[in-house]
Every structure is written in structure tokens, then in C-alpha cells.
Amino acid sequence: MTDTTNPLGLSEHSHGSDVQVPDSKRDTRTRSFDVADFPVPTGREEEWRFSPVRKISDFFADAATEAKLKIDADLPAGISVEEISLESAQELGILEPEDRAAVVAANRASAVTHYSIPADTELERAAIIHADGTGDTLGHGHVVVSVGANSKATIVVEHEGLARYSELVSLVVGDGADVTFVSLQLWDDGTQHLAQHDAIVGKDAKLKHIHITLGGDIVRLNTNVRYSAAGGDAELLGLYFADAGQHLEHRTYIDHNTPKAKSNVHYKGALQGKDARSVWIGDVLIRPEALDIDTYELNRNLILTDGARADSVPNLEIETGDIAGAGHASSTGRFDEEHLFYLMSRGIPEEVARRLVVRGFFNEVIQKIQVPEIEDVLNERIEEELSRSVL
């Protein structure tokens, strides 16, 4: 069917409980904290074939570096921060990474920065963590956020400045907890940022994970979710705007390994300028034990100028016939001329009409974020991007 609310004319489809998708190798990838378990990527691997591997080759080197981000945190009552060892972090139940760069970051970070929220705690406001780059020397980081049972929290991490930064972010969401985690990539030109975000979601817990990527030369972000018990709900939202020469890559993986869980992935991006590049890879695995789950993933890309390229690859693996629903959709295209004609026929100049279409395209995701602390900066940055566009 055609989604008439989509200015790109997206064609969507769903998989019912009687549909089986052929097996793939997604669930057999290495998971480990041992760097030796991961060969150095060449760019020919499935998980690296879209990435500019040669430009980030030193991110794979198992070597210590001195660079660190400058952290300024505004934390409300109820959340504490401390430095712990990697061994202590593993005892919290964090997931093992699947990416050599992330494993190197975990092992070469000077310490693990642990933000902790105890059980039965509701933060009165969002925790804001501002991370500022300090130059073009490669640095490593490992951040762990653990949220106790039946707690509610919003954590926002803002990245700005110039940096070459590799990190692992590990989220542990306790039973019945409700967590929103927002990562803003507002980097300066010249920044290279690789990150893997791994989340384990507890029984009847809710996780809303949000990536906003508007800056940096090369940004590659992986987000992986698993469930520790039945009833978990994960929502992954993303928004990106690639300019000339930027490579913005987002990968999501939902591992449905428990019954009665839910997941929803919704990423949208716009591209403008020569050699602007975006990549979105969405993987969902529904294991045999994942009975009565419901999942959907969606990616839409809006091409504003010639010379830009967007790759969008949704993958859905179903290993059981007893599911509530599973579907995916993706699209890449230009403006729908009918939308432009409609606006212009009502006296709106063409340039303004085109900007309105772009704002409306992004607004679908912005409305779902529901974090007032980032709405103003997000809208301001999008306006800056639009002011540079040739519409």
C-alpha cells in the first residue's frame, strides 16, 4: 500500500505470523570484551561495507591514548556518578559489544563512568551531560547508565566541539523502569565519532532511545537492544541531516529474545550537497522463544540536492510463527511535487513551501521525542541546516 501521509510516497509492508524470512548470520556475530576476538575490519565485512574504514583505521588499534572529552554534567537529585572498573561494569549486567572499535574503547578508556539511579526513584528533571571535544587526538570512553526497578529518568548527552572519539555506552534498564536516553551529535566540522550503544531492557520496562546527528564529518552509531525478561518495550528514534562531505551512519539491532516484548524503530534523515552520505541499517531478530511480540522499523530519507546518497537497508528475521506483528519499511526520494503545488497554490512562495515540507518531514520524529530540554536547540540547528540548503 502507499502511505499518503508521506511526502516521498513510501511503500510499506508487514509480515504476519505465517511468514518466515530466511535465516541470516546476524545472531552469530562475535560478542566479547576481548579485543583479540575481533579482527581488524577491512571494509569488506557486512557490518563495515558502507563505512569509510580507511579514514578511521586508527579507531581499531588496540592502543592507549591520552585525549578525553571535557564533561560538564547538570545532574538532578537521585542520580549519582562514579568511576568504576570494566569488571565492575560487567557485574552490572551490561551487554558484551559486537564491534571492534567499541571493544577497544571499553578496554582503553581510563575508567568507566557510571551514572546510577536507584530503584523506585523518579528524577524531577532531565540529567544533562555536556561533552565537549578538546581537539583532533583520538580518545576512548565507556559510559554505563544503570536505572533501578520502577524508576523513571531522562538522560541527555550533548556532544559539541572538535574531537576524534570512540565510545561504548551501556544501558541497564531495570524491571518496570521508564527511561529516555538522548544522544545529540552537534559536533564541529572535522570530528570523527564512532559509538556503540547497548541496552538491556527489564521486565515490563520502557526504553526510549534517541539519536540526533547534525554535526561531524564521520559519525557511525550502533544501537543494540536485548530484553532480560518478558514485557519490555523499546522505542528507537533517530534524526539526521547530512551536508556536503558528511558521512552519517546509523545502525539499529533489536534482538527479540523474550515473549511479549515490543519494539519500534523510526529514523528520518535529510541530505544536501555533493557527497553527502547517510546510511541506515535496521536489523530485527525474532528468536523462537520470542512469542507474541510486536515490532516495526521505519526509515525515510529526503534528498534535497543532486550529489547526495542515502543507503537504507531494513532486515527482519523471523524464527517463530507465533507473533503479534512484524513489519518494516524504507524510502529515499525527493519532494512530492503535489505537496509543493498545494502550498504554492495558496500563495506560499516556492522556497518557503520547500522549507515547510522539510520541517514537516522532521516534525514527525520531533513530536515523539517529548524532551523539552532539547527541542529548542534541535529546531535551531535544523533551521541552520535549512539556511544553507539550495532548495
Side-chain angles (χ1 to χ4, degrees):
M1 67 178 180
T2 299
D3 178 4
T4 58
T5 66
N6 173 23
L8 304 181
L10 172 66
S11 178
E12 303 184 51
H13 67 278
S14 298
H15 296 282
S17 59
D18 59 340
V19 176
Q20 294 290 319
V21 176
D23 291 340
S24 78
K25 298 294 185 181
R26 187 61 180 88
D27 62 336
T28 62
R29 292 184 185 174
T30 302
R31 306 176 70 112
S32 172
F33 277 100
D34 187 349
V35 178
D37 291 337
F38 295 85
V40 176
T42 64
R44 293 187 294 272
E45 302 83 359
E46 175 60 30
E47 62 267 37
W48 290 101
R49 67 187 179 96
F50 291 102
S51 306
V53 168
R54 285 182 291 180
K55 294 181 179 180
I56 54 174
S57 59
D58 56 337
F59 280 72
F60 310 126
D62 187 15
T65 61
E66 299 295 328
K68 294 183 180 180
L69 299 183
K70 181 181 178 182
I71 304 298
D72 182 14
D74 180 12
L75 305 179
I79 182 172
S80 61
V81 58
E82 62 177 340
E83 290 190 346
I84 62 176
S85 66
L86 179 56
E87 291 74 18
S88 296
Q90 291 176 261
E91 292 173 359
L92 295 172
I94 65 175
L95 296 180
E96 294 179 317
E98 301 180 3
D99 179 302
R100 180 179 172 96
V103 177
V104 170
N107 282 272
R108 291 301 183 176
S110 58
V112 179
T113 303
H114 177 210
Y115 295 93
S116 176
I117 300 167
D120 303 309
T121 300
E122 181 172 350
L123 298 188
E124 60 182 11
R125 58 182 175 84
I128 308 295
I129 303 166
H130 184 80
D132 196 33
T134 57
D136 58 1
T137 302
L138 178 62
H140 301 105
H142 185 188
V143 174
V144 172
V145 177
S146 62
V147 181
N150 304 311
S151 291
K152 186 174 183 179
T154 296
I155 300 99
V156 179
V157 182
E158 301 175 333
H159 297 101
E160 291 188 304
L162 175 65
R164 300 185 71 248
Y165 183 55
S166 183
E167 68 174 340
L168 173 65
V169 176
S170 303
L171 307 175
V172 180
V173 182
D175 295 348
D178 186 347
V179 177
T180 297
F181 186 87
V182 185
S183 179
L184 298 173
Q185 282 61 243
L186 308 177
W187 297 111
D188 291 348
D189 293 343
T191 292
Q192 297 178 347
H193 180 199
L194 271 62
Q196 181 170 315
H197 290 207
D198 290 334
I200 183 75
V201 179
K203 178 178 174 61
D204 298 327
K206 295 182 179 180
L207 169 66
K208 181 186 289 185
H209 182 283
I210 303 165
H211 269 316
I212 307 294
T213 306
L214 303 177
D217 281 355
I218 299 174
V219 178
R220 185 184 192 270
L221 307 174
N222 292 339
T223 304
N224 304 315
V225 174
R226 297 190 75 202
Y227 302 86
S228 63
D233 187 345
E235 184 174 24
L236 276 55
L237 304 176
L239 186 155
Y240 48 91
F241 202 138
D243 280 324
Q246 281 186 299
H247 178 101
L248 307 182
E249 182 170 345
H250 299 82
R251 292 171 173 262
T252 62
Y253 174 39
I254 306 291
D255 186 353
H256 275 289
N257 60 322
T258 63
K260 298 185 180 298
K262 295 180 180 180
S263 67
N264 180 60
V265 178
H266 191 168
Y267 273 64
K268 302 187 81 170
L271 300 90
Q272 63 182 8
K274 183 179 180 181
D275 296 328
R277 178 79 182 275
S278 74
V279 177
W280 177 83
I281 310 293
D283 290 338
V284 175
L285 171 62
I286 304 173
R287 297 180 183 270
E289 63 269 26
L291 306 177
D292 198 25
I293 66 94
D294 194 357
T295 182
Y296 195 79
E297 57 179 350
L298 171 65
N299 177 233
R300 291 174 175 167
N301 297 287
L302 186 58
I303 305 295
L304 302 179
T305 65
D306 293 333
R309 172 181 171 181
D311 290 291
S312 180
V313 185
N315 300 303
L316 181 59
E317 305 172 44
I318 305 175
E319 297 180 349
T320 177
D322 188 3
I323 59 176
H328 60 202
S330 71
S331 71
T332 299
R334 290 184 176 271
F335 290 101
D336 189 322
E337 295 301 326
E338 292 184 3
H339 283 72
L340 289 177
F341 177 79
Y342 175 84
L343 294 171
M344 293 171 63
S345 69
R346 280 150 179 78
I348 299 175
E350 181 177 357
E351 180 179 348
V352 176
R354 288 179 178 273
R355 289 175 182 244
L356 287 174
V357 171
V358 175
R359 293 191 192 102
F361 174 75
F362 279 135
N363 195 52
E364 185 180 4
V365 171
I366 294 173
Q367 287 182 334
K368 291 186 176 185
I369 294 173
Q370 298 181 342
V371 180
E373 288 81 1
I374 70 169
E375 289 182 0
D376 289 343
V377 65
L378 183 55
N379 286 320
E380 180 182 339
R381 287 299 187 107
I382 290 175
E383 286 300 318
E384 290 177 3
E385 297 285 350
L386 288 173
S387 69
R388 292 194 293 267
S389 65
V390 182
L391 297 177

